[in-house]
Amino acid sequence: MIRLSILLLFVLAAIAEWQEGSSDLPRGVGTSGGAILPAAVLAGARRLRFGSKSGEFKILQVADMHYADGKETGCLDVFPDQLPSCSDLNTTAFIYRVIRHENPDFIVFTGDNIFGIDSKDASKSLNAAFEPAVALKLPWAAVIGNHDQEGTLSREGVMQHIVGMDHTLSQLNPTGVEIDGFGNYNLEVRGAEGSALANKSVLNLYFLDSGDYSTAPAIPGYGWIKPSQQVWFQKTSSRLQKEYMRGALQQKDPAPGLVYFHIPLPEFSYFDASNFTGVKQEGISSASINSGFFATLVETGDAKAVFTGHDHLNDFCGKLIGIQLCYAGGFGYHAYGKAGWSRRARVVSASLEKTLSGEWGGVKSIKTWKRLDDEHLSTIDTQVLWIKGSTGRRRKSTVPN
């Protein structure tokens, strides 16, 4: 474990190095006067885009930071000799570290970003939790979990605060739509600049509020994705598919979609060690009822993977009826974990195909791996989540495939 003084130096050095400008800037950002600015800001609109040189778009997922009061907040589930020097600042240092090595285009925080009950001031805790993304001026988005609102801000208040922060693409909710929860929205990732698909969304990102706890007296346990949210998801998916497959430069198949929320679906329990990549070290803490959202995902047809947090000791991906269901694994040091089992982050990389004319086309493949906060920032469990033209489905089958 890195000692507190070293952590502070590391964080300050990381900010200074990025602000000076680097030759390996994230593909989704540009520079102006030596400062790093998201491409969306430079374009005068909130847009994400594949790199014109690499044909790649990389997403860093950070789950369950459980941030509270910085250096005043101690760590959980680390070795005894690590406790005196371990705090929320270890979480901050890990974010800077993985950003530097992975150079992501976009960061997604998938809930329990702060541990509200241990936070003296939720607004300050949120600012500190997301500080690396803000300081480095990277595009980022967040959803909320079941602990974010347990402090000095309501659930709506937490999401409103997030939406008001710098460089975030987070949204409170779709305009003009009656919908449950806070933080239901979608983002589009455009094709490479200069390509025929530069003005089409070739990768669709969906974000949903999976709730906190059940509000129905007869139903115990955690919350779930409600019918109003599923209707919004269906309509949004249908619209995006029509835009991609009709009109100018119409495509044969829908653009792939990735879905982010906090609490796992009941279908995550369908897997065992024989049919997933990663580890399962605790039970699946989903809602006690099945709201049918997985069936909605299958029916809409464009979702290729779901990414959640919540269960910190699980970090697996398993495929069910053509959709990958993935945990990120616990990231934060004030969150429960397991001494000796490194905190971790999930990285997802989507790659474009080359057309016959040699320019970038639509998405060809999506792969993932995890980064561990160990001595070597180890990369583990690299796997392909999806390849264009492969549905991964079997007829008359309800078991993982």
Side-chain angles (χ1 to χ4, degrees), residues 9 20 57 61 85 119 125 131 134 170 215 259 289 344:
L9 289 172
E20 285 173 2
F57 189 82
Q61 181 191 359
S85 60
S119 167
S125 295
E131 182 265 344
V134 173
S170 306
T215 56
V259 187
I289 64 165
R344 58 203 57 212

Side-chain angles (χ1 to χ4, degrees), residues 267-282 284 313-320 324-327 346 370 381 383 400-401:
E267 284 78 7
F268 275 70
S269 65
Y270 287 21
F271 304 105
D272 57 41
S274 68
N275 55 18
F276 64 63
T277 300
V279 297
K280 178 183 177 184
Q281 302 178 110
E282 62 176 309
I284 309 301
L313 298 180
N314 296 337
D315 72 352
F316 66 81
C317 278
K319 186 163 68 173
L320 180 65
Q324 297 279 357
L325 302 180
C326 298
Y327 279 108
R346 180 170 291 281
K370 288 166 294 205
D381 294 338
Q383 65 183 115
N401 57 68

